Amino acid sequence: MFQVSEVEVSYKCKTPANLRPQISSSRDAYNVFASLWDDGQIEMREEFKVLFLNKANKVTGFYHLSSGGLSGTVVDTKILFAVAVKSLAPGIIIAHNHPSGSLIPSQADIDITSRIKKAGILLDIAVLDHIILSPDGNFYSFADEGMI
């Protein structure tokens, strides 16, 4: 005889619909991400976060995907999309910070954005933007720059 564990999927949105921020620009996305970042960490380590959006581009939740060191962090696309699928998000916005303050995307940033965008197409999850945050309050938007 053998045993098999049941996989249970649930999603509980605790924020009323009228209190969820709506994203209509890269500035809106930046403002939400900036509120989620720990000011004490933004200059110390690179982190990667994801916003999950409904069809009206209202934020239904966020996920802290990873924390790394001064020059990088691991982005596991399987985990990213496992959470996106679990939350039934039709759209996501991804973000990470550059502790150095540079807003120029690295080749690694460009490559992971492309990989995530392609995976999103397969799963019918729109990757709407990739925001790079800097400690000084500035940001870079892949969407604004035509890079996504």
Side-chain angles (χ1 to χ4, degrees):
M1 200 68 188
F2 55 88
Q3 294 182 351
V4 178
S5 298
E6 179 182 356
V7 175
E8 183 179 325
V9 176
S10 68
Y11 168 72
K12 296 175 182 140
C13 186
K14 296 178 182 177
T15 306
N18 64 332
L19 296 179
R20 297 177 196 158
Q22 185 165 20
I23 306 297
S24 58
S25 68
S26 59
R27 172 63 64 184
D28 292 342
Y30 165 77
N31 288 337
V32 172
F33 278 119
S35 74
L36 300 173
W37 237 272
D38 180 348
D39 290 337
Q41 295 294 311
I42 197 163
E43 284 188 85
M44 294 186 64
R45 63 179 32 184
E46 194 166 302
E47 297 179 318
F48 199 98
K49 300 179 192 287
V50 185
L51 289 181
F52 303 104
L53 305 160
N54 66 17
K55 284 283 192 188
N57 285 346
K58 287 199 168 198
V59 178
T60 58
F62 84 96
Y63 185 71
H64 177 94
L65 185 66
S66 65
S67 294
L70 279 172
S71 61
T73 190
V74 174
V75 178
D76 189 322
T77 54
K78 284 181 194 156
I79 294 173
L80 188 158
F81 282 105
V83 179
V85 168
K86 183 176 180 179
S87 69
L88 301 176
I92 63 172
I93 299 175
I94 56 178
H96 77 285
N97 64 307
H98 280 175
S100 69
S102 171
L103 290 176
I104 299 168
S106 67
Q107 189 59 52
D109 295 339
I110 294 166
D111 293 345
I112 194 65
T113 303
S114 176
R115 247 181 54 219
I116 291 169
K117 177 90 173 165
K118 287 175 185 171
I121 290 168
L122 290 173
L123 294 168
D124 199 24
I125 297 174
V127 180
L128 303 170
D129 204 348
H130 182 170
I131 303 289
I132 299 174
L133 296 87
S134 72
D136 62 7
N138 290 317
F139 72 96
Y140 178 94
S141 162
F142 277 67
D144 289 354
E145 300 300 324
M147 302 262 305
I148 199 162

